[in-house]
Amino acid sequence: MLGRSGPDTPILQLPPDFAKNTPKVEIHKISEYDNDGPFFAWNWMVLGEHSGTHFDAPHHWITGKDYADGYTDTLDVNRLVAPVNVIDCSTQTAEDEDFLLTSDHIKAWEKEHGDIGEGEWVVMRTDWDSRANDEDKFLNADDTGPHSPGPTPDAIEYLLSQENRGLGNAVHRDRCGAGGGVILLAPTTRSISARWNWRGAASLSRRSMRKTVSR
């Protein structure tokens, strides 16, 4: 998990002329061992589907809208559990906030660690989760737009050709900021992955990768 969800959870901001944005996370107390509920503590929440650490279903994107199993409540849960290959891009990201993971990077990683197997997950480690407590640093936007690391369309195409299960990222799964200018351009990494009924995990933390051992 990226961290404890709350009003300070960073929320990806889309261009106003592109789409409506997700609202901030809200947590409202119902009771906490008081007159409203003396024996229990609980809350009600306002929470977007893509707030904090989350799972992306293919139905989220228009190219994946026709898959009957493309929803979080209809997918085969067996597709979620599989070996994970962590590609450590933290050094490159520290040097270049717009770092892009390409198919050549993945092939070089495989040459050192072994081929990524069919049906396995791939996670791009960038250590971007260290910014999770500061929305400005996490979104990392300036006059030219947001800056964050991510994969290129050719990286997604390569992983799909290997029949991998999905991609995880500490930012927003298969999207990066200004690094590739890919948010509004076609084919985007999101449209490619959804088209092939691919899964993804977004806003992951290093804790979720710690027990993973690369070959």
Side-chain angles (χ1 to χ4, degrees):
M1 297 292 287
L2 185 65
R4 184 176 179 179
S5 294
D8 296 328
T9 297
I11 305 294
L12 179 74
Q13 299 298 301
L14 298 171
D17 57 345
F18 180 60
K20 188 176 182 179
N21 276 306
T22 298
K24 284 286 192 179
V25 175
E26 298 179 17
I27 301 176
H28 301 270
K29 185 178 76 172
I30 299 175
S31 70
E32 189 173 3
Y33 323 118
D34 50 29
N35 291 336
D36 294 323
F39 304 112
F40 37 83
W42 54 350
N43 305 288
W44 65 273
M45 301 178 66
V46 175
L47 182 68
E49 293 180 354
H50 295 259
S51 300
T53 300
H54 62 275
F55 171 80
D56 270 349
H59 183 78
H60 170 55
W61 203 257
I62 191 169
T63 51
K65 66 182 179 65
D66 295 324
Y67 287 105
D69 62 345
Y71 302 79
T72 54
D73 61 338
T74 59
L75 61 89
D76 179 2
V77 295
N78 290 317
R79 294 186 64 179
L80 301 179
V81 182
V84 177
N85 302 271
V86 177
I87 300 178
D88 191 345
C89 307
S90 56
T91 299
Q92 296 95 320
T93 300
E95 297 172 350
D96 179 8
E97 295 175 335
D98 289 323
F99 173 75
L100 295 173
L101 178 70
T102 67
S103 60
D104 286 340
H105 289 126
I106 298 172
K107 292 173 185 176
W109 185 92
E110 288 183 303
K111 187 174 182 179
E112 180 178 355
H113 300 284
D115 292 343
I116 298 171
E118 177 181 340
E120 296 183 353
W121 279 85
V122 176
V123 169
M124 180 180 175
R125 176 181 172 178
T126 61
D127 292 352
W128 205 258
D129 57 297
S130 64
R131 302 167 177 245
N133 294 322
D134 187 317
E135 183 174 72
D136 288 340
K137 289 183 178 180
F138 188 85
L139 299 179
N140 200 35
D142 58 21
D143 293 340
T144 64
H147 298 267
S148 58
T152 60
D154 86 287
I156 298 296
E157 292 278 16
Y158 175 70
L159 292 174
L160 284 165
S161 73
Q162 303 297 97
E163 298 188 13
N164 303 131
R165 190 149 296 182
L167 175 71
N169 194 351
V171 189
H172 204 15
R173 182 171 71 107
D174 51 9
R175 181 183 298 159
C176 50
V182 299
I183 292 182
L184 301 180
L185 299 179
T188 65
T189 53
R190 177 63 53 82
S191 66
I192 294 169
S193 58
R195 186 178 74 224
W196 294 102
N197 202 18
W198 218 42
R199 274 66 176 162
S203 299
L204 298 175
S205 74
R206 281 166 289 177
R207 290 191 298 274
S208 62
M209 310 173 196
R210 190 170 296 161
K211 297 297 183 181
T212 304
V213 178
S214 302
R215 295 191 201 88

